[in-house]
């Protein structure tokens, strides 16, 4: 997947590719692997992705504009999940190609509900992720045939996002389905999101990764200051939690957990931004629901 100079625009293909599926099938990992940069956060905790994240990859005469969506929620109908589900359905309506991602060997009622969202007028590829985890490869074919019988997929591609298996093949299939359009972004762009947004997402990923299921989803991250001096970025972030008990949870024994969150966040930022990062993270208790609403609105949850 080496980038090179684009062909004339008359031969160019460019379009939006929606990545959808139930929570935890590996959508964010897949997009990061396809574009070769970590811009969408991943976690074992379901529903980590809360935003519509755009990833861009330009290869020869094709520009792929991937849109990672939150996992479609079928279990709880609270306000946040309804908002996330609207993000999924709106993204589908505006896409040129859809990647419908399932986990190899597993097809649940939740997967079926997401499949039912697939628009009939947009070509869809069935992406069977985590195929490397299936010991008996003979079961993949009947599994794929069973799913393909339930929707008119353009093609079926087994992949492993984590192992980068068959990703070239997947991109070749996507390219065939993209419309003839000039590029929408510069060839070296990897996302349309700001560095401030990406920094907040990286901290949020580490927060849920190191604290786990004990921390409510309403906990969030705000970037209070983002300054750049040459190659050095100075970033001051605040983790907002609901209770003092949650604050203690994030800080950990003698600050050990917060130090780990900070260190791993900084390393990821340096890899993504390509330069040194000075990072300070504070943990604050929200004063009430009004503050929570302000935080959600400011970072695009609504």
């Amino acid at each position: 997947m080496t980038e090179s100079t684009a062909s004339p625009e008359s031969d160019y293909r460019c379009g939006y590719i929606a990545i959808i599926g139930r929570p935890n099938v590996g959508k964010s990992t897949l997009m990061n692997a396809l574009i070769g940069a970590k811009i969408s956060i991943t976690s074992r905790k379901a529903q980590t992705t809360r935003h519509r994240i755009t990833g861009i990859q330009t290869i020869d005469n094709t520009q792929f504009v991937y849109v990672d969506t939150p996992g479609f929620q079928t279990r709880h109908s609270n306000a946040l999940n309804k908002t996330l589900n609207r993000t999924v359905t709106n993204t589908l309506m505006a896409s040129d190609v859809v990647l419908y991602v399932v986990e190899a060997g597993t097809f649940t009622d939740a997967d079926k509900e997401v499949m039912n969202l697939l628009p009939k007028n947009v070509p869809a590829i069935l992406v069977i992720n985590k195929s490397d985890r299936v010991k008996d490869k003979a079961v993949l074919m009947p599994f794929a045939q069973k799913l393909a019988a339930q929707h008119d997929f353009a093609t079926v591609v087994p992949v492993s996002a984590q192992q980068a298996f068959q990703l070239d093949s997947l991109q070749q299939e996507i390219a065939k389905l993209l419309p003839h359009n000039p590029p929408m972004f510069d060839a070296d762009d990897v996302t349309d999101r700001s560095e401030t947004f990406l920094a907040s997402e990286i901290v949020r990923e580490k927060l849920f990764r190191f604290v786990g299921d004990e921390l409510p989803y309403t906990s969030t991250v705000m970037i209070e200051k983002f300054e750049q001096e040459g190659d050095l970025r100075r970033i001051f972030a605040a983790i907002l939690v609901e209770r003092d008990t949650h604050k203690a949870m994030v800080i950990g024994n003698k600050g050990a957990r917060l130090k780990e969150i900070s260190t791993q966040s900084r390393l990821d930022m340096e890899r993504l931004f390509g330069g040194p990062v000075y990072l300070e993270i504070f943990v604050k208790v929200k004063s009430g629901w009004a503050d929570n609403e302000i935080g959600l609105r400011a970072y695009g949850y609504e």
Side-chain angles (χ1 to χ4, degrees):
M1 290 191 276
T2 304
E3 295 179 7
S4 63
T5 305
S7 297
E9 289 186 0
S10 58
D11 299 327
Y12 212 91
R13 288 181 182 267
C14 176
Y16 285 97
I17 305 117
I19 305 176
I20 72 162
R22 64 170 170 82
N24 271 7
V25 292
K27 299 181 297 297
S28 298
T29 303
L30 176 62
M31 187 177 78
N32 291 339
L34 285 166
I35 68 169
K38 186 173 182 178
I39 62 166
S40 191
I41 66 176
T42 61
S43 173
R44 290 187 299 273
K45 187 178 177 71
Q47 205 47 62
T48 305
T49 301
R50 294 180 179 174
H51 309 273
R52 180 183 182 274
I53 310 292
T54 301
I56 303 156
Q57 173 76 318
T58 304
I59 305 172
D60 297 325
N61 63 342
T62 307
Q63 187 169 85
F64 305 83
V65 185
Y66 295 102
V67 183
D68 184 18
T69 61
F72 193 82
Q73 294 297 296
T74 60
R75 295 179 59 189
H76 306 293
S77 58
N78 58 43
L80 176 58
N81 284 346
K82 287 180 179 178
T83 299
L84 298 177
N85 286 352
R86 272 201 309 275
T87 300
V88 176
T89 53
N90 290 342
T91 300
L92 282 172
M93 293 171 62
S95 297
D96 299 295
V97 179
V98 175
L99 303 185
Y100 171 60
V101 186
V102 298
E103 186 174 340
T106 302
F107 189 72
T108 66
D109 290 341
D111 290 300
K112 177 63 176 175
E113 193 164 340
V114 178
M115 182 187 283
N116 291 339
L117 297 173
L118 294 173
K120 299 189 185 305
N121 60 337
V122 179
I125 297 175
L126 172 60
V127 180
I128 303 176
N129 193 25
K130 307 180 185 180
S131 58
D132 56 312
R133 299 184 185 180
V134 178
K135 293 181 180 179
D136 184 3
K137 302 303 180 186
V139 306
L140 279 178
M141 181 62 74
F143 176 76
Q145 290 173 337
K146 176 183 175 183
L147 270 59
Q150 301 181 51
H151 184 83
D152 185 20
F153 290 103
T155 190
V156 180
V157 185
V159 304
S160 169
Q162 212 163 47
Q163 301 297 325
F165 171 68
Q166 290 252 94
L167 297 188
D168 285 334
S169 297
L170 176 58
Q171 284 200 307
Q172 289 168 14
E173 295 298 329
I174 296 168
K176 296 175 187 176
L177 301 172
L178 289 176
H180 287 279
N181 284 323
M184 292 181 279
F185 301 94
D186 292 339
D188 57 352
D189 286 346
V190 293
T191 185
D192 62 349
R193 290 290 194 169
S194 69
E195 289 190 355
T196 301
F197 171 84
L198 295 173
S200 70
E201 286 289 274
I202 287 171
V203 175
R204 191 164 65 86
E205 176 192 63
K206 304 310 176 191
L207 172 65
F208 288 122
R209 177 162 295 174
F210 290 109
V211 180
D213 293 333
E214 303 166 86
L215 200 63
Y217 276 117
T218 47
S219 304
T220 190
V221 175
M222 301 282 287
I223 302 300
E224 299 188 327
K225 189 184 293 185
F226 192 116
E227 302 171 336
Q228 188 164 354
E229 304 169 7
D231 290 337
L232 174 66
R233 291 163 176 82
R234 296 181 182 274
I235 301 170
F236 299 83
I239 294 173
L240 307 179
V241 297
E242 291 185 333
R243 300 186 179 94
D244 286 323
T245 53
H246 297 155
K247 182 176 179 180
M249 212 181 288
V250 173
I251 294 172
N253 185 30
K254 297 181 179 179
R257 183 172 282 161
L258 182 58
K259 182 179 179 181
E260 186 70 8
I261 291 170
S262 301
T263 299
Q264 295 304 318
S265 295
R266 179 180 56 79
L267 292 173
D268 265 12
M269 289 177 195
E270 289 179 339
R271 280 189 285 267
L272 181 59
F273 300 151
V277 170
Y278 172 85
L279 175 65
E280 283 192 24
I281 300 179
F282 306 90
V283 185
K284 300 180 179 181
V285 179
K286 300 173 187 177
S287 59
W289 180 243
D291 283 349
N292 189 31
E293 287 186 346
I294 291 169
L296 295 178
R297 192 174 300 116
Y299 279 83
Y301 291 81
E302 296 183 343

